[in-house]
Amino acid sequence: MIICTKKMDYRFGTQCQFIQNQVMVNSEKERASLLCMKALANRGRLDTVSQQMASHPQYLESFLRTQHYILYMDGPLPQPYRHYIAIMAAARHHCRYLVSLHSAQFLRVGGDPLWLQGLEAAPPRLQHLDHINKVLAHQPWLTARSHIQALLKTGEQCWSLAELVQAVVLLAHCHSLCSFVFGSGSDSDSTPTPRVHHGTPPGYCLCDAANGNTAFSPPPAGPTEKAPRRRSLDSSCEVACLLEQIKKSQEEIKERKGDRLHSQTLLHADVEKEDEAVFSADPSRFVSDPEFGYQEFARREEDHFQVFRVQDYSWEDHGFSLVNRLYSDIGHLLDERFRSVASLPFPHSPDLKRAIWNYIHCIYGIRYDDYDYGEVNRLLERGLKLYIKAVACFPDARKTPLCPLSWAPVKASDKVHVNLLVMEARLQAELLYALRAITQYMIA
């Protein structure tokens, strides 16, 4: 038997190592192909999301397993309800791609076509879910015990605790998936329109509070006064800077039109011909209070905001066990997704990967006491932070043209990797807020 190692200097050892590496590469490609074939066999088509994730087959396998379980396997909610909840979640970000796919699936599993006329045509139980859908999608830190209590109150239209947990998991899954679809350019509805953002003191982020920078500089009293602008973690990601950066990137965006046309072609392929009427449906018909959107979590003129401290309520110690108890096996599947994305090979330092994850959680008001948030400014370039915040907080192609990722990665798989981190970090953030509120309801 011949043993070949990387330390061998002679030619045969080098050839063996090369062959071993080639076998590993080929096995990964075969794994991705098998996963895509499995998705094709299960749904009769290969959706664009699976094609994008195929560059990371280890993660794709975990993602498909979780999504299939949520939508089709055992659970308290009937399948038409599941797809309609997915439509409601995707509509909050005006994601035509997901609204179209789940509308078609809704009809295939026996859903009432009249429900697709709009949220008002849905059963009252689903309409009651609209408020927590809105809050989780845009400002999850507002999720409170009172929201859970209102849905679980006695009456004909009440939810059971098991049903609500499955609904919350489905909402968070689809909200975060909207971010991935937006970041990958898979949504065809990409016409920018003016956007009105909620005001936030420029140059401020929760990370400043985490680092002890709590002094607030009042706005200038007159047009000639200029308040000193201190560089903070989120100062590069204010909406004004975001739009300014996007304007500067218009030439790069034009170059991507060909890719968008290709994505639009794939989108039409994903929806069968008999569902063309569904494809043309306006997602806004499933949305109430369309002006409700993302706000900065920490605003200095407000004294009542509370940081979500992970040492008080974490996924590992609290969320996992609760969701797994109320919705059998889903905790294991979600945990596998989080671990899978964390273990994906990254061409840059592990510190950068952690900085991306913690920055996204910071945007949503979640803080780790054992982390130095100064690392985020040192490791994340301005363009990367612009991209991350746009994908995580404003994944609406109508209102936010996607700023090209000007960061170092040259491979398409690296950009997909960043989009996966954004999606999973956002998913965990929403789940933490929702499960904490459920916990508070249960112990009250």
Side-chain angles (χ1 to χ4, degrees):
M1 180 176 67
I2 299 176
I3 301 176
C4 302
T5 67
K6 292 184 178 179
K7 295 182 179 179
M8 284 185 171
D9 296 327
Y10 49 88
R11 174 182 253 176
F12 189 72
T14 303
Q15 289 178 346
C16 276
Q17 186 63 41
F18 174 77
I19 293 172
Q20 182 182 12
N21 291 339
Q22 286 296 107
V23 169
M24 292 177 64
V25 171
N26 290 337
S27 65
E28 285 293 294
K29 290 182 178 179
E30 290 176 1
R31 187 179 183 185
S33 299
L34 288 173
L35 289 171
C36 291
M37 289 172 64
K38 183 179 179 181
L40 182 63
N42 286 342
R43 286 180 276 183
R45 64 182 183 278
L46 183 60
D47 61 279
T48 310
V49 170
S50 296
Q51 293 181 49
Q52 291 280 347
M53 294 181 183
S55 57
H56 298 286
Q58 174 188 349
Y59 174 84
L60 175 59
E61 184 176 2
S62 176
F63 173 85
L64 291 177
R65 186 183 299 114
T66 306
Q67 182 169 256
H68 183 76
Y69 185 85
I70 295 172
L71 291 173
Y72 300 104
M73 299 300 287
D74 292 341
L77 292 177
Q79 287 193 17
Y81 266 57
R82 302 184 197 188
H83 289 288
Y84 200 87
I85 291 171
I87 294 170
M88 292 172 60
R92 283 307 316 181
H93 295 304
H94 208 89
C95 183
R96 286 187 179 272
Y97 176 82
L98 293 179
V99 170
S100 301
L101 290 181
H102 286 289
S103 295
Q105 290 296 320
F106 172 79
L107 295 176
R108 292 189 187 107
V109 297
D112 188 346
L114 294 178
W115 294 10
L116 297 180
Q117 293 180 359
L119 188 59
E120 299 81 2
R125 291 184 73 220
L126 288 172
Q127 295 183 37
H128 294 164
L129 202 65
D130 180 63
H131 184 74
I132 197 170
N133 175 35
K134 174 181 69 174
V135 170
L136 283 175
H138 304 292
Q139 300 177 40
W141 54 88
L142 297 180
T143 308
R145 179 174 63 89
S146 58
H147 298 142
I148 307 301
Q149 187 175 6
L151 290 167
L152 297 178
K153 65 183 180 180
T154 58
E156 292 184 5
Q157 306 302 330
C158 70
W159 290 72
S160 70
L161 189 56
E163 289 175 331
L164 181 58
V165 169
Q166 184 179 15
V168 163
V169 170
L170 187 51
L171 288 173
H173 168 78
C174 291
H175 292 156
S176 60
L177 187 55
C178 286
S179 288
F180 182 85
V181 170
F182 176 72
S184 61
S186 300
D187 199 2
S188 65
D189 188 11
S190 56
T191 305
T193 57
R195 182 186 185 90
V196 178
H197 295 280
H198 300 278
T200 304
Y204 179 68
C205 176
L206 170 64
C207 297
D208 292 317
N211 289 322
N213 301 326
T214 56
F216 171 60
S217 300
T224 58
E225 298 181 20
K226 293 183 178 179
R229 183 170 183 176
R230 176 184 45 76
R231 185 172 182 262
S232 69
L233 172 67
D234 201 35
S235 60
S236 64
C237 292
E238 292 299 321
V239 175
C241 295
L242 179 64
L243 295 179
E244 179 183 355
Q245 180 72 12
I246 290 172
K247 289 180 181 179
K248 292 180 181 179
S249 305
Q250 288 301 317
E251 292 183 1
E252 297 180 58
I253 293 175
K254 290 179 181 179
E255 294 176 1
R256 298 175 63 252
K257 283 186 176 180
D259 295 335
R260 286 176 178 169
L261 290 174
H262 178 62
S263 297
Q264 186 172 0
T265 302
L266 291 173
L267 175 57
H268 281 280
D270 286 343
V271 184
E272 296 182 359
K273 291 182 178 180
E274 62 265 24
D275 298 316
E276 289 179 355
V278 173
F279 170 72
S280 62
D282 183 4
S284 61
R285 68 179 60 180
F286 304 102
V287 175
S288 67
D289 193 8
E291 297 303 317
F292 186 88
Y294 174 80
Q295 279 190 351
E296 301 293 342
F297 169 76
R299 294 188 296 176
R300 296 188 180 183
E301 69 271 16
E302 294 183 357
D303 297 327
H304 62 271
F305 74 87
Q306 294 182 353
V307 176
F308 188 113
R309 299 184 181 278
V310 173
Q311 73 269 20
D312 296 334
Y313 197 97
S314 67
W315 167 256
E316 295 80 6
D317 298 332
H318 306 89
F320 169 81
S321 58
L322 176 66
V323 74
N324 216 45
R325 177 158 54 93
L326 297 175
Y327 185 12
S328 179
D329 293 331
I330 192 61
H332 293 291
L333 292 171
L334 291 170
D335 194 62
E336 183 186 359
R337 277 179 61 173
F338 298 144
R339 293 178 184 275
S340 179
V341 76
S343 63
L344 288 178
F346 199 49
H348 304 270
S349 71
D351 292 339
L352 178 61
K353 195 170 184 178
R354 187 183 182 191
I356 293 174
W357 184 278
N358 287 356
Y359 174 57
I360 297 163
H361 275 195
C362 181
I363 290 173
Y364 284 102
I366 299 174
R367 181 193 171 200
Y368 298 80
D369 280 356
D370 61 348
Y371 183 72
D372 176 14
Y373 284 88
E375 288 291 308
V376 175
N377 272 332
R378 288 191 288 270
L379 295 173
L380 301 189
E381 300 175 4
R382 182 175 185 271
L384 179 56
K385 287 193 288 185
L386 282 167
Y387 179 87
I388 289 172
K389 189 165 187 180
V391 173
C393 304
F394 307 105
D396 186 338
R398 301 172 307 151
K399 303 177 180 180
T400 309
L402 182 60
C403 182
L405 183 55
S406 58
W407 175 58
V410 293
K411 294 183 179 179
S413 61
D414 293 341
K415 180 180 177 182
V416 173
H417 195 155
V418 173
N419 289 335
L420 292 178
L421 284 172
V422 174
M423 177 173 66
E424 292 301 319
R426 180 182 176 184
L427 171 63
Q428 189 177 100
E430 287 193 29
L431 288 174
L432 284 174
Y433 279 112
L435 294 175
R436 185 181 66 169
I438 292 173
T439 301
Q440 292 171 345
Y441 167 81
M442 294 175 66
I443 64 178

